[in-house]
Every structure is written in C-alpha cells, then in structure tokens.
Amino acid sequence: MDAPNPKRTCHDHSSSVRSSIENPSSLHNVDMTISSFLSLSELPLFSSPLSIACSFDRVLDKVIPSSIDASDHDRFLDRTLQLASLLYNSTKRSIRKRATLQNSVSWPLLPELTTKVFSMLDTKSLMQASVCCTMFNKCAMDRVCYTHIDLTRAAKNVDNGVVCIMIHRAGKELRSTFSLTRSCLAPLSFNHGFAGGLLRSLHLYNLILMPGKSLCAVLSLCPNLTDLKIIGFISGDKVNSVEHLAPITKNCRLIEHLFLENCGAAGPASSSSVVEFVDNCPNLSSLTLLQFGVNDAMTRTIIMGFHQLKYINLSGTYEINGSFLRDLGLSCRDSPLETLLLRDCYYLKEREVLLFLSSLLAGDFKSILYIDISSKHGLVSDGGIATFEPKFPIEELKKQKPGLTFVAIFPPPSPSSSSSSGEVYSDGTSSSSESSYYSYGAGEEDDDDNSG
C-alpha cells in the first residue's frame, strides 16, 4: 500500500534548464513562468515584503525533502542563489536601461553633439564620463573621441596596454598622442607602424636613459609629424644634446613645431649636426631648445637657416653670450621672427643685448614682437661681473617700436651670495643688492613653443 504522503524527489534542475535552452518552446514556457513569478508582487496578499519572504521560506521547506543527501541539498541551494543572483543582475540592467532612456530624453544635446564635446576632453576625463551611463558610454566609444589621445592627467597609470586600447579605438582617426613615456612607445610600431604613420602630433615625457637610436627608431615610424615635443629625454649615450637634433628630425621632415628639453649630457658638439638639422626641417616655424648646448655660431646657423622661423626659445642655454645677435644684423632684416626668448642664459652679455636693441631701432628684425631676456643670473657686464641694473633704451623703443613687448626682469641676488667685492659667484649673482625690471608692451608670451 502506498504511503499517503510520499516524499518528493529532488530533481536535477540544471539538466531541465539546459533542455529548456535547447528547445525554443521550453524557452517560452520559462519566460511565462518568470512573468507569472514577477507578477505575484502585484497581488494584495504579497503587498508586504514580509509576506513574500514567508512564502519563499515555506516553499523552500516543502521543496527540499529532509531525507535527501546533504550534497544534493547544498547543490539545490546553490542553484537557488544563482537564480536569485541572475534576477538581481537583470533588474540592475533594466534600471540602467531605464536611466539611459530617461537620459536620452532629458539630455539636451544630440548624440552627435555629445560625441563632439567628448572629443574635446582629455582621455582621463573621457573615461570618467563613459562610466556615467550607457548613453555616455556609447558616445565615448566613437573613434572621433580618440583622435587626440591626451594622457597627461593619467600618465602614472598608463602602460603599453592602455595606449594600445586607445589607438585601437581611434583607428584611422588617430592624429596625436600626448604624455607618452618610455613604457608606452611600443604601440606606435604595431601593424608595421600604422599608428605612427597617422600621427601629426606627438608629446613624449621622461625618457630617462633611453638610447638615442631607440628614440630615433620610434620617430622613424612617424614621418607625418608636424608637432614634436620631448621633455626629459636623458640619453644613455652621454653625448651633447646638439648631436641628437639631426637624428631625431631625420625622418620627420614635415615638422613645424619642435620642443626639446634637457636632452643629453654636456660635451663637445659639431656644427655639422646643426646644419643637417636645419636641412631636415624646411617647414619649421617654432623651435624651443631648453638647457641645450648650442653656442652662438650654432644659434646663428639656426636662425638664418630656418626661413619660416617665427618663434625661438633658447632659455637656459649655457653656451651663448649673445654675439649671434650682432652678426644677424642686416642679414635678418626681413626675418619673419616674431618671438625671441633668452631667459636665464648664464653668459648673456649686456653689451650684446644693447647692440641688438640698437639694430632693432635701426630697422632690423621688422617682424619682431616679443623679446624676453629675464635672468636670475643677471647679465654679464664689460668687466666680466654680473649686473642686475643694465641700461636699455626703453623710451626710444617705446617710440619707435610701439608694437614690441620687451621683458627684462633681474631679481636681486640672495643675501647669502652678496659680497662687497662685486665678483660673480658660482650661482651667477653679484654683490648688487638691487634689481632692475624692464617691461613694456601689452603682449604676454607663454612658455610653450606653439605660439607660432
């Protein structure tokens, strides 16, 4: 005789789920079951969360027989938790979809305009915007947003993998990358240098002890560059920074803006390297060489050789005394040069600056608009000592060159370096306790080189 209340066996729900997925009609039945389950919350009996929780407890107690094996019991509970997790995740996705729909209705910009705005953000800000909602994420994935990859604000967290992802997203739209370090250069060579060939602008930072040949190999993949900026390239070759000019620009003949800072060590440099550098860049209009080892003869070659040069910044140069200014004279009467920056040039002579200003008054350098010779070291006087009170024809310049901005700021030396002897000390200061400040004109020049 059968038992009045036979115990229910624990079925293998995983196998039933697999068969449902394989059978479309079963999938429909599953959908109907889930819909019925979700509609239970609308019944008055289940209006309270506590009522629903009690129902779940009763069902689990009835479904799980007490006589089944403990391992089967655990598996059943695990599957139940998985189903609950699936329902939870589906609900979260539904909430996000609803939020996206609301955003698309309430967001004032069309998707095309949103993408245009995102394309103006630096890459870190773009990534932050992309995780706000699905609509923003979709707009942020557009290739146009990666035309200019700017990793300046995220340099510490960037490696080859990150750069590779950004380049892949940009595709053929890639035009410039900013704030790449030594650990991020490999992607430029992927796919036979495809990415490097697309670049028009490239900014590199902190290439510490990187061999010059390695850097030149990377730049050889970027023949279409018009803007190149390298900061903190300290070569392991231990050669004068000037010797890097020709190799760096050898395969980048379209360069218009070049910015190099702190490249290499001190040592002898050949003028032939400068001549080759000039030949490599016929279109150069803006040049910044900070803390370089160029001397007056090399500087003369550079200014006279680049016929389109409008901006030159040689601040921190320790080899020039300014004699190149005198030699330019009539040869550069019609030069297009507009900006000349010679800040903190240790050996810059007062006399050479005066002669240069006289040539300006005589009509040379007709296009010049901005000059800055400010120096914490002062200027070298005829007696060989540093002067912080040079005498310049400011009033005449104001009358004859009203469009010219001339800046000459010489802060007083620190008290610890003062002496009654008036000699020049190792830090370039003299015994003078006063300073001179000459500045006139409405213009204000940025430190960056791309003003041209």
Side-chain angles (χ1 to χ4, degrees):
M1 183 176 180
D2 295 335
N5 294 310
K7 295 180 179 179
R8 297 176 62 182
T9 58
C10 184
H11 299 285
D12 187 355
H13 293 277
S14 61
S15 60
S16 63
V17 171
R18 285 195 297 271
S19 62
S20 298
I21 294 175
E22 295 170 359
N23 189 345
S25 61
S26 298
L27 280 175
H28 177 71
N29 293 334
V30 171
D31 292 345
M32 293 298 295
T33 302
I34 294 175
S35 298
S36 300
F37 170 73
L38 294 177
S39 64
L40 291 177
S41 60
E42 300 177 359
L43 297 178
L45 180 62
F46 297 104
S47 59
S48 171
L50 181 61
S51 300
I52 299 178
C54 292
S55 298
F56 282 145
D57 291 341
R58 286 195 302 272
V59 171
L60 287 175
D61 289 340
K62 290 180 180 179
V63 170
I64 305 174
S66 59
S67 62
I68 68 171
D69 185 76
S71 60
D72 292 336
H73 194 159
D74 292 339
R75 281 196 295 272
F76 179 81
L77 293 178
D78 288 340
R79 286 195 295 270
T80 304
L81 288 174
Q82 290 175 7
L83 290 173
S85 177
L86 291 174
L87 177 60
Y88 175 74
N89 291 332
S90 295
T91 305
K92 288 180 64 177
R93 286 194 294 270
S94 180
I95 292 173
R96 288 197 296 269
K97 289 179 181 178
R98 184 169 178 270
T100 298
L101 179 60
Q102 291 178 341
N103 289 341
S104 62
V105 174
S106 60
W107 183 247
L109 299 180
L110 295 173
E112 295 80 6
L113 290 177
T114 302
T115 300
K116 179 66 175 178
V117 171
F118 283 178
S119 69
M120 300 176 183
L121 299 176
D122 64 88
T123 307
K124 182 177 180 179
S125 299
L126 178 65
M127 294 298 97
Q128 292 172 336
S130 69
V131 299
C132 290
C133 67
T134 306
M135 183 189 73
F136 277 13
N137 182 269
K138 184 177 180 180
C139 293
M141 291 300 107
D142 194 287
R143 286 186 173 184
V144 176
C145 296
Y146 300 91
T147 299
H148 306 285
I149 301 176
D150 185 357
L151 300 168
T152 306
R153 295 182 57 213
K156 294 182 180 179
N157 303 314
V158 173
D159 56 17
N160 277 326
V162 173
V163 176
C164 189
I165 291 173
M166 301 299 171
I167 290 177
H168 177 73
R169 289 178 181 175
K172 294 181 179 180
E173 298 294 329
L174 183 66
R175 291 298 178 271
S176 66
T177 59
F178 302 149
S179 194
L180 292 188
T181 61
R182 182 177 181 178
S183 62
C184 305
L185 297 178
L188 298 179
S189 62
F190 293 167
N191 195 17
H192 305 289
F194 173 78
L198 295 174
L199 288 178
R200 299 294 183 272
S201 178
L202 179 62
H203 292 188
L204 305 175
Y205 295 81
N206 300 324
L207 307 181
I208 307 298
L209 297 181
M210 182 177 186
K213 290 184 178 180
S214 299
L215 175 60
C216 294
V218 172
L219 295 177
S220 67
L221 302 172
C222 311
N224 296 313
L225 286 179
T226 59
D227 173 36
L228 176 61
K229 185 174 185 178
I230 303 177
I231 295 180
F233 169 50
I234 301 178
S235 172
D237 304 333
K238 297 182 179 180
V239 298
N240 190 292
S241 52
V242 177
E243 297 298 323
H244 293 296
L245 291 174
I248 285 176
T249 57
K250 180 178 181 180
N251 297 291
C252 305
R253 298 184 60 84
L254 301 180
I255 284 183
E256 298 175 7
H257 306 280
L258 180 62
F259 186 114
L260 301 176
E261 179 183 18
N262 194 23
C263 296
S270 62
S271 56
S272 60
S273 179
V274 176
V275 174
E276 184 179 354
F277 164 55
V278 172
D279 292 338
N280 289 343
C281 309
N283 301 319
L284 195 70
S285 62
S286 174
L287 175 63
T288 296
L289 300 177
L290 301 183
Q291 301 175 18
F292 255 63
V294 292
N295 56 33
D296 286 272
M298 296 174 183
T299 304
R300 186 188 309 110
T301 301
I302 289 174
I303 295 180
M304 295 181 64
F306 291 122
H307 301 295
Q308 300 183 42
L309 191 65
K310 295 182 178 181
Y311 177 106
I312 185 168
N313 185 352
L314 299 176
S315 297
T317 303
Y318 48 85
E319 291 283 342
I320 62 175
N321 58 33
S323 62
F324 73 93
L325 297 171
R326 183 199 322 170
D327 297 335
L328 293 176
L330 294 175
S331 61
C332 291
R333 185 181 184 87
D334 297 319
S335 169
L337 187 66
E338 297 177 354
T339 301
L340 174 64
L341 304 182
L342 297 174
R343 303 188 190 117
D344 292 322
C345 292
Y346 189 90
Y347 292 109
L348 187 61
K349 293 183 177 181
E350 177 186 14
R351 179 178 178 79
E352 300 297 345
V353 175
L354 285 170
L355 290 173
F356 175 62
L357 295 179
S358 297
S359 69
L360 290 181
L361 294 172
D364 298 337
F365 289 99
K366 294 180 179 180
S367 299
I368 199 79
L369 296 175
Y370 190 96
I371 302 171
D372 189 348
I373 59 167
S374 303
S375 177
K376 61 186 177 182
H377 309 296
L379 297 178
V380 179
S381 66
D382 290 339
I385 63 174
T387 176
F388 293 83
E389 298 180 334
K391 305 300 181 182
F392 297 134
I394 301 300
E395 295 303 322
E396 293 183 51
L397 287 172
K398 287 181 179 180
K399 293 179 182 179
Q400 297 189 34
K401 296 284 186 178
L404 173 67
T405 297
F406 177 69
V407 182
I409 302 173
F410 305 99
S414 59
S416 60
S417 62
S418 63
S419 171
S420 60
S421 64
E423 297 178 352
V424 180
Y425 293 86
S426 59
D427 63 353
T429 59
S430 72
S431 62
S432 174
S433 60
E434 300 179 356
S435 65
S436 292
Y437 180 100
Y438 296 99
S439 180
Y440 84 89
E444 183 175 347
E445 193 71 22
D446 196 343
D447 285 343
D448 203 349
D449 65 316
N450 292 331
S451 61

